Amino acid sequence: MMTRNEMIEHLQAQVCRVVFKKINGEERDMSCTLMETALPKATKDPLSQKKVRAVNEAVIVAWDVNKDDFRSFRVENVVSFS
């Protein structure tokens, strides 16, 4: 299976199909990306945001191209990545 960094590299270059197990046990098939051209423009001023979260290395947050929203998945729960 791919590493988290390899998945992120692929997501930054193209739309990928990710099949993963959700926390509740359901399997989800998602088309997602991290290509800058596909991501929505930031609506908040990053300097005005007060809460800064630590990066969770177990999770990848990506743009779901079908739902037009950010979704996340746990790297360890990925069934297939293409």
Side-chain angles (χ1 to χ4, degrees):
M1 186 51 64
M2 283 190 210
T3 66
R4 179 181 191 274
N5 288 338
E6 289 171 331
M7 290 181 195
I8 290 173
E9 284 178 24
H10 284 282
L11 288 165
Q12 289 172 334
Q14 63 199 14
V15 175
C16 299
R17 181 176 178 217
V18 182
V19 178
F20 60 96
K21 291 269 190 202
K22 293 172 44 174
I23 297 296
N24 67 6
E26 290 178 40
E27 196 166 275
R28 173 107 157 43
D29 188 337
M30 177 171 68
S31 294
C32 57
T33 189
L34 288 173
M35 293 187 306
E36 285 193 34
T37 56
L39 298 179
K41 300 292 180 229
T43 57
K44 292 183 180 179
D45 176 12
L47 299 176
S48 69
Q49 293 181 354
K50 292 187 170 90
K51 185 175 182 179
V52 177
R53 295 185 200 178
V55 174
N56 183 345
E57 294 293 329
V59 174
I60 294 177
V61 178
W63 183 255
D64 185 324
V65 297
N66 296 319
K67 298 206 183 264
D68 280 340
D69 203 1
F70 285 101
R71 296 289 191 258
S72 62
F73 58 91
R74 299 185 73 75
V75 175
E76 67 186 18
N77 293 346
V78 172
V79 175
S80 72
F81 188 98
S82 55

